[in-house]
Amino acid sequence: MSIVVLLVLVAVLGVGMTGIVIAVRRSPGQPGSTSTPTARRVVVYILLFALVVIAAIGLSGLLGRALDTGTNLAGSDVTGLARSLAFTLIAGPFAALLWWVLWRRMASAERASISWGLYLAGLQTVALVTAASALLGTLAALVRGDWQPRTLAVALIWTLVWAWHRWMSRHPSKSPMQLTSVAPILSAIFGLLIGAVGAVTALASLINAAVDALQSSIVIGDPWWRLALQAGVWFLGGTLIWWWQWMRERARLVRGVLADLALVVLGIAAAAAASLVGTGTVLFVLLRLAFAREHPLDDILDPLGTALATALVGALVWAYHLGLLRQRALPTRLAATLVVSGFGLVAAATGLGIIVNALLSGLAPVVVGSDTRSLLLGGLSAAIVGGPVWWAAWKPLRPVDPVSAQVTGRRVYLILIFGISAIVAIITLLVIGYRIFEFVLDDLSRQSLLDRVRAPLGLLVATGLAAGYHFSVWRRDRAALAEAGLPGRAIHRVILVTAGDPTATRDLIAELTGAAVTVWQRAASPDGPAPIDAAPIHAVPRDDVLPSAERLGLALAGVTGARVLVVVGVGGSVDVIPLQN
């Protein structure tokens, strides 16, 4: 019965695909044709994406069965073989036919469409992630003597898919004109992630083995070097992928929202969080070794390897990307600073709340099984690590000039921290009130009132101080702006229209205004030769195409508005147009 249903579905798919391919084949493909709308491109490329993925899954299944010499081709899994055959023999030819039609019709309008760039970027990333994960998983399994031919088949097929789409993305006449940097950035992120996780796992295994050797402990199970070697495979593979995409594919030179977001979120925020958590845990272990030895030594040292490895790898990634921030625009640098400041503030406030909780527990009756000393040491660890980081990033004693106080990111950060802290403080007050009424009404409970409210009271102290401080800073910034006679924010967003390379101009505008900049590339006229300002950057001297910092500063001086249009014209001329909301 299942085979009949499968055949019916295959027949329906075949008929539908035939109709779509015929419709695409017969539709005109002139660059200016109105019969090739965006909806058609979206549907066709989504369909091609699905067909390629289905065909690759089917081919991987068939190749895996062929490489697995230990079993018959069908074996006991007839359903799996039927699925692989259907995926390969149905989706494969239709994917090839649809691709052939689209490839022949690839004109300038198709190349300039977002759908074509998004399709190649998405499938390149999916293919690379799948192939690399399968290949590294196969190599890691070989370390423990486990041969996985079907996983290797997945790696081989998806490597071919990746190479095919990479060739299309670099074709001299049919490569996409938009979203060309998405695949290298996403692939570099993937390589950095698996490389960092592999490095942490391998280093933690080495540290734990060294600690066990110093303690003369007997470890039962796999030898320590096997886990380290398996993690080393992932580390080397991830590092190679990251280096290739970051250096050879020049992902490090890309500028834009996605590149800046990847730098701030992964290279700064995630690395800083990992480093802070790891450092705090290491400090907590050392403090327990010095002042709280009532627990077994193995329990105290258990998190040391992972924590130390996380701190070291996180600090290394953090330091590298911190150096890259010097080449980025002011909003990106400010976002990274605020993110680090926020993490330090959270760690310091958490540590302060735990310290208050532990100190209050010393005044309450001792409860059997309570570990006040470890609780206090945990709070001290978080506060000692988070406090200096917040101080170095935020610099509370440095006077804030009116220009910095104008930056939207700083004001949003202050309002966000104040708002979140105030909400948590109000919720904590409700919890304290609930505990007090519960204590008054519940005479049978043996728990003291102080023991009931000490945890939320510690959280209330920390969030109250954070909310009060950031509210005072926000008011101080407003007073500084009022004294300088400046508005709260002159320009919120800039839309830059240019024909040349927008990187330098966009960075200059961001430096001068502190606003977010969106770039619109000017298209060449389809009816005639391109204007002078739309010529390639190598055809016109750079000084004649890009406006200077002085010219941009004069054009933007005194301009206010939520959105401002900046048009770069012939010879580097600048037109600034405030837009109505």
Side-chain angles (χ1 to χ4, degrees), residues 112-408:
S113 67
I114 296 179
S115 301
W116 176 231
L118 190 61
Y119 164 77
L120 286 180
L123 206 41
Q124 275 192 88
T125 305
V126 171
L128 179 65
V129 170
T130 306
S133 301
L135 180 59
L136 295 177
T138 303
L139 296 177
L142 286 176
V143 173
R144 61 176 185 267
D146 184 13
W147 167 240
Q148 297 181 354
R150 302 198 178 194
T151 308
L152 179 61
V154 173
L156 294 176
I157 294 299
W158 282 99
T159 299
L160 293 177
V161 174
W162 173 79
W164 172 35
H165 286 80
R166 186 176 183 273
W167 169 77
M168 287 191 289
S169 67
R170 291 175 169 268
H171 196 276
S173 61
K174 298 184 179 182
S175 59
M177 297 180 180
Q178 299 194 54
L179 304 179
T180 56
S181 61
V182 173
I185 292 175
L186 295 180
S187 301
I189 291 174
F190 168 72
L192 181 60
L193 284 175
I194 64 173
V197 173
V200 169
T201 306
L203 189 57
S205 179
L206 294 176
I207 295 173
N208 289 331
V211 172
D212 292 336
L214 292 176
Q215 292 183 269
S216 301
S217 302
I218 300 177
V219 180
I220 301 175
D222 291 338
W224 63 268
W225 57 266
R226 182 170 295 172
L227 177 60
L229 191 56
Q230 287 178 315
V233 170
W234 287 92
F235 164 67
L236 293 177
T239 304
L240 179 61
I241 293 172
W242 172 82
W243 176 83
W244 182 270
Q245 299 294 331
W246 193 251
M247 300 296 181
R248 295 297 299 271
E249 300 292 339
R250 300 180 180 274
R252 60 188 175 90
L253 301 179
V254 177
R255 298 293 185 270
V257 176
L258 181 61
D260 292 342
L261 189 64
L263 175 63
V264 173
V265 173
L266 184 63
I268 302 297
S275 181
L276 290 178
V277 172
T279 304
T281 306
V282 171
L283 182 58
F284 176 60
V285 171
L286 296 178
L287 290 176
R288 290 185 71 189
L289 285 174
F291 303 106
R293 296 291 297 270
E294 61 270 11
H295 294 280
L297 189 59
D298 291 339
D299 294 343
I300 297 176
L301 295 176
D302 182 62
L304 180 61
T306 303
L308 186 56
T310 303
L312 292 176
V313 174
L316 182 63
V317 175
W318 185 9
Y320 173 77
H321 290 89
L322 202 60
L324 297 179
L325 277 177
R326 301 186 183 95
Q327 307 169 5
R328 300 300 173 110
L330 176 62
T332 305
R333 299 199 303 269
L334 177 63
T337 302
L338 295 179
V339 164
V340 174
S341 174
F343 279 124
L345 177 65
V346 170
T350 302
L352 178 60
I354 295 175
I355 290 173
V356 173
N357 183 4
L359 293 177
L360 291 177
S361 66
L363 303 177
V366 178
V367 180
V368 177
S370 63
D371 193 359
T372 304
R373 186 177 301 178
S374 295
L375 185 65
L376 178 61
L377 295 179
L380 287 174
S381 302
I384 292 174
V385 171
V389 171
W390 173 79
W391 190 278
W394 183 249
K395 298 179 176 61
L397 298 183
R398 187 182 64 181
V400 179
D401 58 294
V403 176
S404 299
Q406 276 187 301
V407 178
T408 304

